[in-house]
Amino acid sequence: MRRREFITLLSASAAGWPLTARAQQSAVPVVGCLVSGSPETSAGNLIAFREGLAETGYVEGRSVTIEYRFAQGQLDRLPMLAAELVRRDVAVVAAIAGSDAAQAAKNATTTIPVVFNIGNDPVRTGLVASLNRPGGNVTGVTQITREIQGKRLALARELVPNASVMATLTNPTSVVAEPNLRDLEAAAASAGQRLLILKASSDTELEAAFAAIVQQGARALFINSNPFFNNRRELIVARAARNRIPTIFANRESVDAGGLMSYGPSLEDLCRQAGVYTGRILKGEKPADLPVLQPTKFDLVLNLKTAKELGLTVPPSLLAIADEVIE
């Protein structure tokens, strides 16, 4: 299926199926898919989720129905969308790519199983009791950022060794903004790196943040994965290029769009694993008995074209360990 066709299908699903069509599908389970982003920015992740479901024998349109709800990066809409899926009485709520979506789903139901794919510690934020035995109705996949924030900072310092000031953008409306920020602050303090912290949850605040980055003389910028920032990926990359600011992301999609570097696990692989867990629950397994999965491989992706445009020379030591180099 072509990407454009897939997005069109999602949009139609999100708008709600006719009652007659739903009646015809009553014999198959219904999965509610709660997405923090938009159909466009989430297309790859959702394809991977459906592939994971298919690995367990559930194919959308044949043996499972998926109802999509997209927050379009507006995190305050997630509780309402989660409540819609609960009223729909879905068999499982899959909160794809975002701690805010996972928290909204958990708050909406204590009985319907919830499968998440998040970027922080679910124990620390109260989603599960423990990684090995989650308890309750919630489990999923996590890429715990506490362990990789320090690695991202070290890679950035190697790439931009003369950056006396580095900046980070955080979305204060996100439930994980403060934990993620504390992790990066701790890594910066340990390395003796001055860190400029800027908050943005609107386009106006985003423009003001870039003005502050330039004014404060920050020589590098960290962007954590967040639906608001993901929906504005091209805008952020363009602003960074215009102001000649090396930008480090959590996911490779932003490097494909022109960002300088990313370090982290494959989001699509995590979504595929979330799909597998959703299928296993549909087959009768309980979330409480499914341990929270963690990635075992992290990829370093470098964009040499962007580095050249910024006037940066990528050290051979980084090129040697890079998993992918875009030229």
Side-chain angles (χ1 to χ4, degrees), residues 159-160 219 237 239-247 258-261 303-313:
L159 187 57
V160 194
R219 296 290 304 279
V237 167
R239 292 293 183 273
R242 186 177 70 184
N243 294 294
R244 300 183 65 79
I245 302 168
T247 308
L260 177 61
M261 181 179 79
N303 191 320
L304 291 189
K305 180 181 178 182
T306 300
K308 183 178 180 180
E309 291 172 349
L310 293 171
L312 292 175
T313 300

Side-chain angles (χ1 to χ4, degrees), residues 121-298:
D121 186 343
V123 177
R124 192 178 181 187
T125 54
L127 282 173
V128 298
S130 73
L131 297 180
N132 289 332
R133 297 196 64 81
N137 64 315
V138 181
T139 189
V141 189
T142 180
Q143 44 162 327
I144 298 178
T145 58
R146 188 171 11 180
E147 286 78 7
I148 62 176
Q149 291 283 33
K151 180 66 174 178
R152 283 194 192 121
L153 181 67
L155 291 168
R157 283 165 62 85
E158 189 172 353
L159 187 57
V160 194
N162 297 321
S164 58
V165 181
M166 293 186 176
T168 184
L169 270 177
T170 183
N171 180 354
T173 67
S174 172
V175 296
V176 296
E178 286 303 317
N180 286 345
L181 184 57
R182 285 197 300 269
D183 292 340
L184 184 57
E185 284 182 302
S190 177
Q193 175 67 57
R194 183 184 166 198
L195 187 65
L196 175 65
I197 300 166
L198 299 164
K199 298 180 180 180
S201 58
S202 69
D203 291 335
T204 300
E205 290 175 342
L206 190 59
E207 293 294 341
F210 270 100
I213 290 169
V214 174
Q215 184 180 30
Q216 295 290 327
R219 296 290 304 279
L221 173 63
F222 290 90
I223 305 286
N224 278 316
S225 182
N226 178 274
F228 174 75
F229 299 139
N230 292 346
N231 280 358
R232 289 155 179 81
R233 181 178 293 133
E234 288 77 13
L235 174 64
I236 290 172
V237 167
R239 292 293 183 273
R242 186 177 70 184
N243 294 294
R244 300 183 65 79
I245 302 168
T247 308
I248 296 89
F249 293 89
N251 52 71
R252 62 148 299 135
E253 289 83 1
S254 297
V255 182
D256 288 333
L260 177 61
M261 181 179 79
S262 69
Y263 178 75
S266 166
L267 291 182
E268 291 186 4
D269 185 59
L270 298 181
C271 288
R272 183 192 61 78
Q273 293 182 63
V276 171
Y277 257 20
T278 299
R280 290 175 64 177
I281 290 171
L282 290 176
K283 287 180 178 293
E285 295 189 61
K286 298 183 182 302
D289 299 330
L290 294 173
V292 175
L293 300 174
Q294 298 180 67
T296 57
K297 186 177 184 298
F298 297 85

